[in-house]
Amino acid sequence: MVFDVKQDLRSKARLVAGGHLVELLDNKAHSSTVKEISVKILHVKAHHNKMDAFCGDIDNAFANAYTTERMYAIAGLEFGEKLRGKIIVIRKALYILATSCARFHDHLSDTLRSMDFLPTRFDRDIWRRFNKETKTYEYLCTHVNDFYIFSKQAQEIMEQIQA
């Protein structure tokens, strides 16, 4: 368990696992990220088309994705007396597991596809969809659990992601 105090003085605890101790024989651990030049080009395009640019971060991102690694732990005191000493199977992509970034990338990709976004051919971490209402493309860039939205209706996309 790792404890932290955020800049706004909120406390945060993360359950972490020793990903550096895992054999990665059959697990994909790589997670791509948006290219820097892609973000710069989208800034220019957004400015030219009078689009809003929103930046966001998905809190507790890895807890939304399932891991493909076969992991277990023996529950300690932090799990309470009822579970203490018992074997627990880890199903979620915890921080520091070797494949957590890749599993979250897969999860986020599925979510964006369900919102009708498709990855571009040039950069697989730039997603776009055509907005029939504004007659423009909307773009979303991903970098692990951070994202950038370029759209004339960026707030609506932000709310869709939050839901």
Side-chain angles (χ1 to χ4, degrees):
M1 192 76 94
V2 175
F3 298 95
D4 191 14
V5 177
K6 299 295 203 175
Q7 290 179 338
D8 63 0
L9 300 179
R10 286 181 296 135
S11 298
K12 179 147 187 168
R14 287 188 176 143
L15 185 62
V16 299
H20 62 291
L21 304 173
V22 177
E23 294 280 337
L24 287 175
L25 301 175
D26 295 327
N27 289 308
K28 176 187 152 208
H30 173 73
S31 174
S32 62
T33 58
V34 67
K35 296 173 179 76
E36 183 181 348
I37 188 67
S38 299
V39 176
K40 290 179 179 180
I41 290 169
L42 282 176
H43 270 286
V44 171
K45 184 174 179 66
H47 179 74
H48 177 74
N49 291 324
K50 296 178 178 53
M51 297 171 135
D52 293 327
F54 278 34
C55 185
D57 173 87
I58 299 171
D59 287 336
N60 301 313
F62 296 160
N64 293 305
Y66 289 91
T67 185
T68 57
E69 295 177 61
R70 295 173 188 246
M71 300 287 294
Y72 73 92
I74 298 174
L77 288 171
E78 63 272 14
F79 287 91
E81 280 302 318
K82 187 177 177 184
L83 292 177
R84 183 179 176 200
K86 297 202 175 176
I87 294 175
I88 55 173
V89 176
I90 299 170
R91 296 180 57 218
K92 293 289 189 150
L94 300 177
Y95 287 88
I96 307 179
L97 278 181
T99 63
S100 291
C101 285
R103 296 294 70 78
F104 179 71
H105 188 275
D106 294 343
H107 172 75
L108 183 57
S109 296
D110 291 342
T111 301
L112 293 175
R113 281 187 189 93
S114 75
M115 296 168 59
D116 297 324
F117 279 94
L118 294 173
T120 62
R121 286 184 287 167
F122 170 70
D123 189 332
R124 304 299 286 174
D125 292 296
I126 300 259
W127 296 76
R128 73 178 186 167
R129 73 177 177 190
F130 188 73
N131 185 323
K132 293 176 185 172
E133 193 176 307
T134 62
K135 295 185 176 38
T136 59
Y137 279 98
E138 300 172 313
Y139 297 91
L140 197 145
C141 311
T142 60
H143 186 278
V144 188
N145 66 324
D146 298 316
F147 60 90
Y148 234 132
I149 301 168
F150 299 95
S151 171
K152 291 186 177 184
Q153 298 174 336
Q155 182 63 42
E156 291 175 23
I157 296 172
M158 184 75 86
E159 290 168 4
Q160 281 183 298
I161 292 171
Q162 289 174 338

